[in-house]
Amino acid sequence: MFAFIVRRLFGAVAMLVIVSMVTFGIFFLLPKLAGQTTDQLAASYAGKAPTQEAIADIKERLGLDDPIAVQYGRYVKGIVAGQEFSNGPSVMKCPAPCLGYSFRNSEPVLPTLVDRAPVTLSLAVGAAVIWLVAGVGIGIVSALKRGSVFDRLAMMTALAGVSLPIYFTGLVSLAVFAYGLKLWPDGVAYKPFLDNPVDWAYNLILPWVTLAFLYAALYARLTRAGMLETLNEDFIRTARAKGLPEKTVITKHALRASLTPILTVFGLDLGLLLGGAVLTEKTFGFAGLGALSIDSIASGDLPMVMGVVLLATIFIVLASLIVDILYAVVDPRVRLN
C-alpha cells in the first residue's frame, strides 16, 4: 500500500509539472504561433489605451522577447524562490510561491487566490457531502425497489435535475425561498466561518442544495445502474446462499463493488468545483475562484487567469490522487497495478 501511494505521488508531481508547462505555453506560446506580437501581448497588461512607452516598459520588465524556455524557467523560479516586479520607480516583491503579479490589482496573484478560496471550498465541499449522501442513498433504494413508485419518482426527479441548468434552478430557488418565503430577506451572502459558523451555514444552505440537486441526480442514476448490475452477479447469489444477512450483502458486497465508478466521477466533480463553481458563484453573488476567473478574463488580467488555472489543476490532481488511494482501499486488486 505504501509503495502504491508513493507511485501515485510521483505521478501527481509529474502531472503538475506537465500541466504548468502546457498552461504556460497556452498563454505565452500559442499567441505567438497565432501571429500575436509581443507588443500586443504586453498591451494586455497595460490596461485601456496604453501608450507605446508603457507597452515597451512592460515588455522589457516581463522579458516577453526572451525565448519561451527562458520565460518558463523564470516563472518556475518565481514559484520556488519568489520574484521581484518593477513598477516604475518602485519594486514589488512577490514571495515564494509566486504565481505572478497582477498589475491591474497591484498585488501578487497568490494572496488573492487564498482570499477567494474559502468561499469556493465552503460551497464545493458542503454541496459534495449532500449530493454524495443523497444521490448514493436514493440510487441504492431505487435499485432495491426497482419498478416501484419510489423508483419511478426518483428517476423522474433525477432526470429533471440533470436537465435543468444550475443558473435556472439557482434563480428559481432565490425567487421562491429567499424573496418569496422571506427565509433570506436580505438575500444570500457568504459569511466567513470563523466570524459566525451559524450564519456561515445558514447562508450556504440554499447554494448547497441547489448545486447538490444537479449532482445528486447524476449520482442517483449512476448508483442505481451499478447496483442493478452488481446484484445480478454470481458472488451476490453466493453470499445470499450462504445465509448472510441482506444488509451485509447490500452494504459489504454489492455497494462496495459498485463504488469504483462513483469514486471516479466524484473525484473529478469535486476537483473541478474546487477550481471554481463558476455558474453557482455568479448566480448567488459569491466572490469565489469561479467569479474571480470570469472577472479576470473580462478585464484581461492574464497572471490572475493563469493562477486560477494552476490552482484548479492542483485541486483536480489532488482529488485524483485521493481517488486512487480510495481505489486501493475499496478494491485491493488495484494495489498491484
Side-chain angles (χ1 to χ4, degrees):
M1 185 67 178
F2 178 75
F4 173 83
I5 295 176
V6 170
R7 290 199 302 270
R8 290 301 187 268
L9 283 173
F10 277 112
V13 172
M15 181 61 67
L16 286 175
V17 173
I18 293 173
V19 169
S20 69
M21 295 174 64
V22 172
T23 304
F24 192 87
I26 290 174
F27 284 101
F28 288 94
L29 179 60
L30 287 185
K32 291 183 178 180
L33 296 179
Q36 188 178 36
T37 65
T38 53
D39 286 346
Q40 293 172 325
L41 187 60
S44 63
Y45 288 85
K48 297 181 180 180
T51 63
Q52 287 297 324
E53 292 78 7
I55 293 176
D57 182 57
I58 291 176
K59 185 170 63 173
E60 181 181 356
R61 283 189 280 120
L62 297 181
L64 296 180
D65 287 329
D66 294 336
I68 191 68
V70 175
Q71 295 182 49
Y72 177 72
R74 189 185 303 118
Y75 182 71
V76 173
K77 181 181 178 181
I79 296 177
V80 176
Q83 198 171 356
E84 291 185 351
F85 297 91
S86 60
N87 188 11
S90 61
V91 176
M92 290 80 68
K93 293 185 178 180
C94 180
C98 178
L99 299 182
Y101 189 90
S102 172
F103 289 94
R104 298 190 182 276
N105 299 334
S106 298
E107 60 183 11
V109 170
L110 186 59
T112 303
L113 299 181
V114 172
D115 182 63
R116 298 291 190 97
V119 180
T120 302
L121 287 172
S122 300
L123 179 61
V125 174
V129 173
I130 296 175
W131 88 56
L132 186 63
V133 174
V136 173
I138 292 173
I140 293 173
V141 177
S142 295
L144 296 177
K145 298 181 179 296
R146 181 181 183 182
S148 65
V149 176
F150 176 87
D151 180 33
R152 296 181 185 277
L153 289 177
M155 290 303 103
M156 289 176 58
T157 305
L159 180 61
V162 173
S163 304
L164 296 175
I166 190 67
Y167 53 83
F168 174 79
T169 56
L171 292 176
V172 169
S173 62
L174 281 173
V176 173
F177 297 103
Y179 308 124
L181 299 178
K182 303 296 183 181
L183 297 178
W184 290 269
D186 297 327
V188 177
Y190 177 78
K191 305 293 184 181
F193 177 80
L194 296 179
D195 290 352
N196 192 324
V198 176
D199 285 346
W200 170 83
Y202 183 71
N203 281 273
L204 282 168
I205 290 175
L206 197 58
W208 280 343
V209 174
T210 303
L211 183 58
F213 179 63
L214 169 64
Y215 287 92
L218 295 170
Y219 282 70
R221 294 171 65 88
L222 181 62
T223 304
R224 180 181 182 273
M227 287 291 294
L228 288 177
E229 181 180 357
T230 304
L231 288 172
N232 291 323
E233 296 289 342
D234 291 338
F235 71 91
I236 297 295
R237 286 193 290 268
T238 302
R240 285 172 172 163
K242 289 181 177 180
L244 292 177
E246 187 66 13
K247 180 180 179 181
T248 303
V249 173
I250 298 300
T251 58
K252 187 175 180 180
H253 297 281
L255 179 59
R256 185 174 183 179
S258 305
L259 282 179
T260 302
I262 297 173
L263 287 175
T264 302
V265 178
F266 180 72
L268 293 175
D269 288 341
L270 182 58
L272 288 171
L273 278 180
L274 290 175
V278 178
L279 294 178
T280 306
E281 292 177 12
K282 277 297 186 181
T283 300
F284 289 95
F286 283 6
L289 294 173
L292 176 64
S293 64
I294 296 298
D295 295 340
S296 299
I297 292 171
S299 63
D301 194 348
L302 186 57
M304 195 66 71
V305 176
M306 285 187 59
V308 174
V309 171
L310 287 177
L311 185 61
T313 301
I314 292 173
F315 283 136
I316 294 173
V317 170
L318 288 177
S320 300
L321 176 62
I322 294 173
V323 167
D324 286 341
I325 296 173
L326 291 177
Y327 278 165
V329 175
V330 174
D331 189 352
R333 296 174 297 177
V334 177
R335 305 173 195 172
L336 302 177
N337 297 330

